[in-house]
Amino acid sequence: MNIIQIAKICHDANRSYCQTLGDNSQCVWETASDWQRSSAIAGVNYAIAKPNSTAKDQHDAWMTDKIADGWTYGPVKSAINKQHPCIVPYDELPEEQKIKDHLFRAIVTSLKQFVK
């Protein structure tokens, strides 16, 4: 197993979770845009490098990366406008969005031992 495979699993789990919320906007890994795949890979690398970090830390790292890439807060996610509704402090995220950070970290924690 490698980092990209773990990122794919995290991405697809996030996609499935979003579908339970009625959000069918996520593409499968194979058709996801480069920025989505890169974001998942960066998240996996962060979670492995910082095993004692929290879901809040994971969100903060994600948000820092997004802002550095020119993204800002927007009420609707738009890759064209580089806006995302989750570019807010962790404490301001709705509970269902916080769950995504916990799910991501749980997957990485479970699989990182198998990275070769």
Side-chain angles (χ1 to χ4, degrees):
M1 177 155 288
N2 62 42
I3 300 295
I4 295 172
Q5 290 169 319
I6 295 174
K8 178 187 184 303
I9 293 166
C10 289
H11 174 85
D12 288 341
N14 179 65
R15 179 177 169 269
S16 293
Y17 174 69
C18 287
Q19 287 175 333
T20 70
L21 301 174
D23 176 1
N24 295 305
S25 67
Q26 305 290 329
C27 296
V28 296
W29 178 262
E30 291 76 15
T31 60
S33 59
D34 288 341
W35 67 266
Q36 288 173 314
R37 289 192 300 266
S38 294
S39 181
I41 292 166
V44 171
N45 283 322
Y46 177 87
I48 289 173
K50 305 215 181 252
N52 295 322
S53 60
T54 65
K56 178 192 177 304
D57 297 330
Q58 187 82 37
H59 172 74
D60 291 347
W62 170 85
M63 191 167 66
T64 297
D65 287 348
K66 284 283 177 255
I67 291 170
D69 193 35
W71 287 70
T72 60
Y73 169 82
V76 176
K77 182 168 63 174
S78 169
I80 293 169
N81 297 322
K82 287 193 167 186
Q83 292 185 331
H84 201 295
C86 292
I87 298 181
V88 297
Y90 184 78
D91 294 339
E92 294 177 23
L93 286 174
E95 198 67 28
E96 64 268 9
Q97 296 302 316
K98 291 178 182 178
I99 289 170
K100 291 191 323 188
D101 293 307
H102 286 276
L103 179 61
F104 191 99
R105 291 195 59 77
I107 292 167
V108 175
T109 299
S110 296
L111 298 178
K112 68 182 180 181
Q113 64 185 318
F114 302 107
V115 173
K116 296 180 182 181

